[in-house]
Amino acid sequence: MLHDRLLVRAESDGERRSGAGIVIPATATMGRRLGWAEVVAVGQHVRQVEVGDRVLFDPEDKAEVELHAATYVVLRERDLHAVAAPRVPDGGTGLYL
């Protein structure tokens, strides 16, 4: 990856479950909804994100690419809304907004 770009694997857009366990079909329409993805590769100028982090992004602003029969999304670091990382200093929550 070049500059401030990230290559992420978006989580499934299929069926999902509510907090109460109700299955919500993929065809159900909702308002604007952000999506989570796992970071697969980062460019040399990315400062806040590492490979393996989960990031929150707007699915409307994505550029998809297919590599080795798998679909990935290319994003800029500035287009991220949040980073959920397992590395947390001083016992924090691990979610950076």
Side-chain angles (χ1 to χ4, degrees), residues 66-86:
E66 188 173 324
L67 299 170
H68 303 290
T71 303
Y72 297 96
V73 177
V74 178
L75 299 169
R76 297 185 84 158
E77 185 178 24
R78 69 180 182 193
D79 294 334
L80 300 179
H81 293 274
V83 178

Side-chain angles (χ1 to χ4, degrees), residues 4 16 18 71 75:
D4 66 340
R16 56 187 192 279
S18 70
T71 303
L75 299 169

Side-chain angles (χ1 to χ4, degrees), residues 10-93:
E11 294 179 0
S12 173
D13 291 335
E15 289 183 347
R16 56 187 192 279
R17 291 189 179 269
S18 70
I22 299 170
V23 176
I24 302 170
T27 57
T29 58
M30 295 189 66
R32 189 168 175 188
R33 183 179 179 96
L34 299 176
W36 287 99
E38 178 186 357
V39 177
V40 178
V42 296
Q44 69 266 26
H45 296 296
V46 173
R47 299 185 300 172
Q48 307 259 338
V49 182
E50 294 179 5
V51 173
D53 289 349
R54 288 183 69 217
V55 293
L56 187 64
F57 71 102
D58 186 357
E60 300 292 324
D61 299 331
K62 66 181 181 180
E64 290 186 352
V65 64
E66 188 173 324
L67 299 170
H68 303 290
T71 303
Y72 297 96
V73 177
V74 178
L75 299 169
R76 297 185 84 158
E77 185 178 24
R78 69 180 182 193
D79 294 334
L80 300 179
H81 293 274
V83 178
R87 60 184 191 290
V88 182
D90 303 325
T93 63

